[in-house]
Amino acid sequence: MNRARPVAALPLATAGLALVAACGTNPYATSGAGRPVVLGAQPASAVPAGTTARLISSTVDGLGTVLADAEGHTLYRYAKDTAGPATATCAGPCALTWPPLVSDVPAIAAGVEARLVGSVTRPDGRKQVTVGGWPVYRYAKDTGPGIALGRDVSADWSAITPTGRKANPATVETAEAPGLGTILTDADGRTLYLFTKDGKGSGKSTCDASCASKWPPLPADGRVTAAAGIDPGLIGRIRRADGTSQVTIGGWPVYTYEQDAPGEASGHGAAGAWYALEPNGCKAEPVARSPEIRQALAPTTGGE
């Protein structure tokens, strides 16, 4: 799919803002982000033998929720590493600038799903912590909690989220989907969905736990950008039960689908409750009813 590029950052809608889109409304907007919670004082890149590295969630201005070490220092992933299988390639001089988070025993995580945390053996034989399969590192020039100077060093380095994804400002873009027309996607080209059980304008998400693993919420702890042609008044945010923020469009909390690759919309119609979104915040409707499209829309995928 050809994706429109995002334009300058757009302010999130505030409560009571009058909206003009046909079926999109944004009746609320919450804001605020928590500060890092430090669980220890052990330098992550120099963990003494026999002790355990710790992982926490932190907040970085402009990025939202990121993964951090016990001191609150932002952690990063490296594009030249791999996650499946996990492989750490930053060694030698690279590891002086980007110290790996090492631990002789399994890392302890707060706000991170235990199943996502693992380890990989580095070229020097040490065990490096992985999240979502990605080896994690600090940046030597970061000065303290909430700082992420490493995000501007190279396109190969990105702050990492508690789910192992790249930490980027939430971005809403448009793309063409066969049979559905123009729909909304995230920055990686993954289709954005609404969940009818949430309820339009309810101000809450009902997709938690295993549901949220299958249908990851689009985070909104940092700024949100939107492509040209998307009414900024439709963009809002809610606070989820776990304390994180989620993007809303037209009053609907929005999600991606873990089984989608960029350019796919395989979750559309799942369980008769999940639907791709049009740029006006409405449920996407098929532009034709060919047998192929009817088959694609059939609710053959589990809902939660």
Side-chain angles (χ1 to χ4, degrees), residues 16-75:
L17 180 64
L19 304 175
V20 296
C23 63
T25 58
N26 180 33
Y28 51 80
T30 59
S31 61
R35 300 302 302 165
V37 179
V38 178
L39 300 184
Q42 202 67 263
S45 57
V47 179
T51 60
T52 307
R54 296 175 182 267
L55 301 171
I56 63 172
S57 294
S58 181
T59 300
V60 172
D61 186 32
L63 289 181
T65 301
V66 301
L67 194 65
D69 68 5
E71 295 179 321
H73 292 98
T74 301
L75 295 174

Side-chain angles (χ1 to χ4, degrees), residues 77-89 120 130-135 137:
R77 51 181 268 186
Y78 185 35
K80 295 182 180 180
D81 288 346
T82 60
T87 305
T89 61
V120 63
T130 62
V131 176
W134 289 99
Y137 305 81

Side-chain angles (χ1 to χ4, degrees), residues 3 5 23 38 65 67 105-106 125 133 141 143-145 151 169 174 178 194 203 238 240 280-281 283:
R3 296 183 286 124
R5 304 310 305 164
C23 63
V38 178
T65 301
L67 194 65
V105 293
K141 295 183 179 180
T143 56
R151 61 180 165 176
T174 61
L194 63 82
I238 59 169
R240 292 177 54 79
N280 59 6
K283 178 176 72 174

Side-chain angles (χ1 to χ4, degrees), residues 136-238:
V136 295
Y137 305 81
R138 278 180 52 176
Y139 180 50
K141 295 183 179 180
D142 279 349
T143 56
I147 304 298
L149 300 178
R151 61 180 165 176
D152 298 322
V153 172
S154 164
D156 287 335
W157 291 93
S158 303
I160 189 170
T161 71
T163 60
R165 293 189 175 188
K166 294 179 181 179
N168 293 312
T171 301
V172 180
E173 301 187 4
T174 61
E176 294 299 316
L180 292 176
T182 304
I183 61 171
L184 297 179
T185 73
D186 68 4
D188 295 323
R190 289 183 171 84
T191 298
L192 297 179
Y193 297 89
L194 63 82
F195 184 38
T196 57
K197 293 183 180 180
D198 285 343
K200 177 184 173 67
S202 67
K204 64 181 181 179
S205 165
T206 60
C207 180
D208 298 305
S210 61
C211 174
S213 296
K214 189 173 185 178
W215 301 88
L218 184 64
D221 291 299
R223 60 189 175 92
V224 179
T225 64
I230 301 174
D231 181 358
L234 296 177
I235 310 296
R237 74 173 90 198
I238 59 169

